[in-house]
Amino acid sequence: MASVIVTSGEQKGEYLPLGRRISIIGRAETLPMQILDDMVSRKHLRIRYDADTDEYHAEDMESRHGVFINNRKIAKRTVLKEGDLIRIGETTLLFTARDFDDRESALEHYKKVGERQRPTRHE
């Protein structure tokens, strides 16, 4: 299974196990992951699991400000890969193929990913 971890914004550190289903992310209170960000639409992002290909796909749900994956605005369904950064409004989500038992293990994974992305300093 897979998860998304909030890496920036008011809810930094929250995570959502995606399971093998369709997950909707946005500002609406009824969603499994509500994002408290004025630039996020009520239903902003759909992440869909495709059992035939064993892949997760991201789709913009006709949001006002769009969905960006690795700083590129998507216009159609896009395959998600390990470590992809998804930006909706002013909030960034990290996609990982891993599932976590609890918030602490999700944050530990995010911390390790952040260490790998930090550039090496040359003196």
Side-chain angles (χ1 to χ4, degrees), residues 56-115:
Y56 287 85
H57 298 92
E59 298 174 72
D60 185 349
M61 296 185 70
E62 300 180 14
S63 65
R64 184 175 209 175
H65 299 289
V67 173
F68 295 80
I69 299 179
N70 300 324
N71 292 321
R72 290 199 164 141
K73 188 172 185 176
I74 64 170
K76 58 184 181 177
R77 194 165 82 168
T78 303
V79 175
L80 290 169
K81 296 181 176 67
E82 178 68 33
D84 278 348
L85 294 175
I86 306 164
R87 184 168 49 84
I88 56 174
E90 295 179 349
T91 301
T92 305
L93 310 169
L94 169 71
F95 173 81
T96 179
R98 293 190 51 196
D99 193 16
F100 303 99
D101 294 329
D102 54 30
R103 182 177 185 268
E104 287 72 31
S105 58
L107 290 176
E108 187 62 30
H109 177 75
Y110 165 60
K111 181 180 174 187
K112 288 178 183 174
V113 168
E115 289 171 359

Side-chain angles (χ1 to χ4, degrees), residues 7-49:
T7 61
S8 74
E10 271 189 50
Q11 292 151 272
K12 184 175 179 176
E14 287 188 24
Y15 79 102
L16 174 67
L18 296 172
R20 294 174 186 250
R21 62 184 180 273
I22 297 172
S23 297
I24 308 294
I25 299 171
R27 209 177 64 240
E29 292 178 14
T30 57
L31 298 177
M33 179 174 266
Q34 179 189 24
I35 302 295
L36 303 173
D37 179 332
D38 290 340
M39 296 192 61
V40 170
S41 298
R42 289 184 324 109
K43 291 184 179 177
H44 198 109
L45 167 68
R46 176 185 298 123
I47 298 178
R48 178 189 311 256
Y49 176 72

